[in-house]
Amino acid sequence: MYNIGTFSRITGLTVKALRLYHERGILEPRYVDEKSGYRYYNREDASRARVVVALKAMDCSLSEIRHVMAYCADESDLVGLLAIKQEALQAEIARLSNISFVIDRIINREREVTKMKEEGFDVEVKRVEPQLVISHRWTGAWMEIGDVVLKLRGAAEKEISGRIVNLCYNDEYRELDADIEVCMPISKTVESPWPCRTLEGGEFAVLLHRGPFETLGESYLRVFDWIEASGRKATLPTRQVVHKGPGPLLEGDPNNYLTEIQVPL
């Protein structure tokens, strides 16, 4: 017979854990001295303790361990429990993987913001000339822009003469019901389901933004801070000229996207 201290050394379970397992009916000692309250274990208890250690290593709860110790005679009886446990662990792995992905995106985004600041792009005033465009204006989500660009590009074909310009007519951010217009500069009017019009020119506060579209907010902050400090007034619609972005087939590296923010003055 082994006292609880010796049994703890044999099994690798702390005395505190052994007392808890006794209280919960998971691993009861072979004998308890009525006068002293000392617990004593034997070799068979050591074998049962190894099962407890193994189940604990598989992140089983106390209730699961108690069930196994009470009703499972051999490993074949564990198959159902282990299958359920494995499914739960896989779901947890997927959940943690998604969290890790979100954290990774935040870290990369903030690194790009820092990098963008260090590159030293400055806000400046720029005169933009009027230009002929084929365009589509709608109320919806920003993620729809890619599909609209493909349609406009297909309609204009060889007459495209400049970079895509995205206009936002809202004075606040809207995720799913934004008032958006995508404009594709063209060299001459084309026959298509999409209207052709002259996009007005004017004076704009502009800033080049390098990095994912998710980090544009930092550059907008710099532009609006500059406008306020200069005593000027921003108007609508704001524009985003995509100098480098996702292509028609490949998304490319978002860290290398280059977007010119234009805020009309």
Side-chain angles (χ1 to χ4, degrees), residues 53-64:
V53 171
L55 294 172
K56 183 181 176 184
M58 288 186 281
D59 202 30
C60 289
S61 65
L62 290 178
S63 61
E64 289 172 332

Side-chain angles (χ1 to χ4, degrees), residues 150-205:
L150 289 177
K151 292 176 181 178
L152 294 178
R153 183 177 282 121
E157 296 181 344
K158 297 181 180 180
E159 304 305 328
I160 298 174
S161 61
R163 297 181 177 89
I164 300 165
V165 183
N166 300 320
L167 277 64
C168 179
Y169 291 86
N170 303 116
D171 59 0
E172 62 180 318
Y173 174 74
R174 295 188 179 183
E175 184 176 7
L176 301 177
D177 60 345
D179 187 355
I180 309 168
E181 183 178 15
V182 173
C183 299
M184 184 84 69
I186 52 178
S187 57
K188 65 179 182 180
T189 302
V190 297
E191 294 291 333
S192 79
W194 316 103
C196 296
R197 72 179 186 89
T198 298
L199 183 61
E200 293 182 0
E203 192 175 61
F204 294 79

